[in-house]
Amino acid sequence: GASRVKRIGHGVLASPRVMETVTWFRETLGFVRSDDVYAGKKDNIIGSFNRCDQGDDYVDHHVFFCINNEKAGLNHLSFEVQNLDDVFTGHEHLKKNGSYEHFWGLGRHNLGSQVFDYWSDPWGHVHEHWSDSDRMNLGDGGNLVSAEEGLGSQWGEGAPDKFKGHASP
């Protein structure tokens, strides 16, 4: 059957102005950097993973990710499922359903370490099922990582172009 969703885990926005967007979320909502991702020079930030500031309490690696894209919009919403088995069970369920387009996965992200699976619904919105994320607190600080390191997968295929360039209105 379908994956058993526990909660909405994070949202990802595409923006042609990544750092302006991220700065607004940090200053307005109090998010803190988990990982900023650069391409080429270290000041060329093309993506930013951000988490909630809960002080000493541990929280998900990110609740908000912003990725560079010429078009602004929603890249995807993510849903935490019960466990790793649910990620795989949901994959098989959506594959048999026939109404969804598989976008990316199965795999494990380098940053955040989630086991993931991405699908597009019939209206073109992308959704991720995931389980097993890293947890961090304010004392863990933030990192600056290259795109090669940060946007890769520990296992599974790399992100396809249709995923990287996706932005729903």
Side-chain angles (χ1 to χ4, degrees):
S3 294
R4 298 167 295 161
V5 172
K6 291 169 60 173
R7 64 188 172 104
I8 295 175
H10 61 263
V12 176
L13 293 180
S15 173
R17 300 184 327 222
V18 170
M19 285 316 297
E20 288 177 51
T21 304
V22 168
T23 298
W24 185 90
F25 276 85
R26 289 178 182 168
E27 291 176 357
T28 306
L29 300 180
F31 289 169
V32 294
R33 176 178 76 166
S34 293
D35 297 290
D36 282 346
V37 180
Y38 68 90
K41 294 182 180 184
K42 290 186 176 184
D43 64 348
N44 182 32
I45 305 298
I46 63 162
S48 181
F49 291 91
N50 295 266
R51 65 185 184 275
C52 294
D53 177 0
Q54 295 295 311
D56 291 336
D57 292 340
Y58 285 87
V59 298
D60 290 342
H61 172 267
H62 61 282
V63 295
F64 171 66
F65 179 58
C66 187
I67 185 108
N68 186 61
N69 193 321
E70 62 186 39
K71 185 169 81 171
L74 178 67
N75 177 268
H76 73 272
L77 287 177
S78 85
F79 299 89
E80 182 181 14
V81 299
Q82 296 294 320
N83 54 41
L84 298 175
D85 288 336
D86 252 0
V87 175
F88 285 83
T89 300
H91 176 90
E92 292 303 316
H93 176 75
L94 291 172
K95 187 165 69 173
K96 289 176 187 171
N97 178 289
S99 297
Y100 296 82
E101 176 187 358
H102 189 242
F103 246 62
W104 182 27
L106 299 155
R108 184 181 282 275
H109 288 301
N110 283 343
L111 299 179
S113 297
Q114 303 95 322
V115 173
F116 64 85
D117 191 32
Y118 293 88
W119 292 81
S120 175
D121 66 25
W123 303 275
H125 302 105
V126 176
H127 308 274
E128 173 190 17
H129 286 157
W130 63 269
S131 184
D132 194 32
S133 179
D134 289 341
R135 309 229 340 130
M136 303 171 74
N137 67 16
L138 194 57
D140 289 318
N143 299 299
L144 180 63
V145 297
S146 70
E148 295 77 23
E149 176 187 352
L151 300 180
S153 297
Q154 294 174 27
W155 51 264
E157 297 178 4
D161 289 339
K162 72 178 178 179
F163 177 78
K164 290 188 274 188
H166 182 76
S168 300

Short mmCIF file of all heavy atoms in Angstrom, two decimals, residues 136-159:
data_model
loop_
_atom_site.label_atom_id
_atom_site.label_comp_id
_atom_site.label_asym_id
_atom_site.label_seq_id
_atom_site.Cartn_x
_atom_site.Cartn_y
_atom_site.Cartn_z
N MET A 136 20.27 17.84 14.14
CA MET A 136 21.30 18.78 14.57
C MET A 136 20.72 19.73 15.61
O MET A 136 19.51 19.91 15.67
CB MET A 136 21.79 19.61 13.37
CG MET A 136 22.33 18.79 12.21
SD MET A 136 22.66 19.79 10.74
CE MET A 136 24.14 20.64 11.25
N ASN A 137 21.61 20.36 16.39
CA ASN A 137 21.17 21.44 17.26
C ASN A 137 22.00 22.68 16.96
O ASN A 137 22.88 22.65 16.09
CB ASN A 137 21.20 21.04 18.74
CG ASN A 137 22.59 20.82 19.27
OD1 ASN A 137 23.60 21.22 18.67
ND2 ASN A 137 22.67 20.16 20.42
N LEU A 138 21.73 23.77 17.66
CA LEU A 138 22.40 25.03 17.35
C LEU A 138 23.92 24.91 17.50
O LEU A 138 24.67 25.52 16.75
CB LEU A 138 21.86 26.16 18.23
CG LEU A 138 22.23 27.57 17.80
CD1 LEU A 138 21.78 27.86 16.37
CD2 LEU A 138 21.64 28.59 18.76
N GLY A 139 24.38 24.08 18.42
CA GLY A 139 25.81 23.91 18.64
C GLY A 139 26.54 23.26 17.48
O GLY A 139 27.76 23.33 17.40
N ASP A 140 25.80 22.65 16.56
CA ASP A 140 26.44 22.00 15.41
C ASP A 140 26.90 22.99 14.36
O ASP A 140 27.64 22.63 13.45
CB ASP A 140 25.49 20.98 14.77
CG ASP A 140 25.29 19.77 15.64
OD1 ASP A 140 26.28 19.27 16.22
OD2 ASP A 140 24.14 19.31 15.76
N GLY A 141 26.47 24.24 14.46
CA GLY A 141 26.90 25.26 13.51
C GLY A 141 26.41 24.98 12.10
O GLY A 141 25.41 24.29 11.89
N GLY A 142 27.12 25.52 11.12
CA GLY A 142 26.77 25.36 9.71
C GLY A 142 28.02 25.10 8.89
O GLY A 142 29.14 25.34 9.34
N ASN A 143 27.81 24.61 7.68
CA ASN A 143 28.93 24.25 6.81
C ASN A 143 28.81 24.93 5.45
O ASN A 143 27.72 25.28 5.02
CB ASN A 143 28.94 22.73 6.59
CG ASN A 143 29.11 21.97 7.88
OD1 ASN A 143 30.11 22.13 8.57
ND2 ASN A 143 28.11 21.17 8.22
N LEU A 144 29.93 25.04 4.78
CA LEU A 144 30.01 25.49 3.40
C LEU A 144 30.59 24.33 2.62
O LEU A 144 31.70 23.87 2.92
CB LEU A 144 30.90 26.73 3.30
CG LEU A 144 31.09 27.32 1.91
CD1 LEU A 144 29.77 27.83 1.35
CD2 LEU A 144 32.12 28.46 1.96
N VAL A 145 29.83 23.80 1.65
CA VAL A 145 30.26 22.62 0.91
C VAL A 145 30.13 22.84 -0.59
O VAL A 145 29.29 23.63 -1.04
CB VAL A 145 29.47 21.36 1.33
CG1 VAL A 145 29.71 21.03 2.79
CG2 VAL A 145 28.00 21.53 1.06
N SER A 146 30.93 22.14 -1.35
CA SER A 146 30.86 22.24 -2.81
C SER A 146 29.60 21.55 -3.32
O SER A 146 29.06 20.64 -2.68
CB SER A 146 32.09 21.60 -3.45
OG SER A 146 32.03 20.19 -3.28
N ALA A 147 29.16 21.96 -4.50
CA ALA A 147 27.98 21.35 -5.12
C ALA A 147 28.21 19.86 -5.36
O ALA A 147 27.29 19.05 -5.19
CB ALA A 147 27.64 22.06 -6.42
N GLU A 148 29.42 19.49 -5.75
CA GLU A 148 29.73 18.08 -6.00
C GLU A 148 29.50 17.25 -4.74
O GLU A 148 28.95 16.15 -4.80
CB GLU A 148 31.16 17.91 -6.51
CG GLU A 148 31.45 18.54 -7.85
CD GLU A 148 31.62 20.05 -7.79
OE1 GLU A 148 31.94 20.61 -6.73
OE2 GLU A 148 31.39 20.69 -8.84
N GLU A 149 29.94 17.77 -3.62
CA GLU A 149 29.78 17.05 -2.35
C GLU A 149 28.34 17.16 -1.84
O GLU A 149 27.73 16.17 -1.44
CB GLU A 149 30.74 17.63 -1.30
CG GLU A 149 30.58 17.01 0.07
CD GLU A 149 31.42 17.70 1.14
OE1 GLU A 149 32.24 18.57 0.80
OE2 GLU A 149 31.23 17.35 2.31
N GLY A 150 27.81 18.36 -1.86
CA GLY A 150 26.53 18.62 -1.21
C GLY A 150 25.30 18.13 -1.93
O GLY A 150 24.31 17.78 -1.29
N LEU A 151 25.33 18.09 -3.25
CA LEU A 151 24.13 17.72 -3.98
C LEU A 151 24.19 16.30 -4.51
O LEU A 151 23.30 15.87 -5.25
CB LEU A 151 23.88 18.72 -5.12
CG LEU A 151 23.70 20.17 -4.66
CD1 LEU A 151 23.47 21.09 -5.84
CD2 LEU A 151 22.59 20.31 -3.63
N GLY A 152 25.21 15.56 -4.11
CA GLY A 152 25.33 14.18 -4.54
C GLY A 152 24.58 13.23 -3.63
O GLY A 152 23.96 13.63 -2.65
N SER A 153 24.66 11.97 -3.97
CA SER A 153 24.02 10.92 -3.19
C SER A 153 25.07 9.94 -2.69
O SER A 153 26.05 9.67 -3.38
CB SER A 153 23.01 10.14 -4.04
OG SER A 153 21.98 10.99 -4.46
N GLN A 154 24.86 9.43 -1.49
CA GLN A 154 25.75 8.40 -0.95
C GLN A 154 25.62 7.13 -1.79
O GLN A 154 26.59 6.43 -2.01
CB GLN A 154 25.41 8.10 0.50
CG GLN A 154 25.68 9.26 1.42
CD GLN A 154 25.21 8.99 2.83
OE1 GLN A 154 25.15 7.84 3.27
NE2 GLN A 154 24.88 10.04 3.56
N TRP A 155 24.40 6.83 -2.22
CA TRP A 155 24.14 5.73 -3.15
C TRP A 155 22.87 6.08 -3.92
O TRP A 155 22.08 6.90 -3.51
CB TRP A 155 24.04 4.38 -2.46
CG TRP A 155 23.13 4.29 -1.27
CD1 TRP A 155 23.48 4.41 0.05
CD2 TRP A 155 21.71 4.06 -1.27
NE1 TRP A 155 22.39 4.26 0.86
CE2 TRP A 155 21.28 4.04 0.07
CE3 TRP A 155 20.77 3.86 -2.26
CZ2 TRP A 155 19.96 3.84 0.44
CZ3 TRP A 155 19.43 3.66 -1.90
CH2 TRP A 155 19.06 3.65 -0.56
N GLY A 156 22.73 5.48 -5.07
CA GLY A 156 21.65 5.83 -5.98
C GLY A 156 22.18 6.79 -7.03
O GLY A 156 23.30 7.30 -6.94
N GLU A 157 21.38 7.04 -8.04
CA GLU A 157 21.79 7.92 -9.14
C GLU A 157 21.76 9.38 -8.70
O GLU A 157 21.06 9.75 -7.77
CB GLU A 157 20.84 7.72 -10.32
CG GLU A 157 20.89 6.33 -10.90
CD GLU A 157 19.90 6.15 -12.04
OE1 GLU A 157 19.22 7.10 -12.43
OE2 GLU A 157 19.82 5.02 -12.54
N GLY A 158 22.52 10.20 -9.42
CA GLY A 158 22.49 11.63 -9.19
C GLY A 158 21.18 12.24 -9.66
O GLY A 158 20.40 11.61 -10.38
N ALA A 159 20.92 13.46 -9.23
CA ALA A 159 19.67 14.14 -9.58
C ALA A 159 19.59 14.36 -11.08
O ALA A 159 20.52 14.91 -11.69
CB ALA A 159 19.58 15.47 -8.86
#
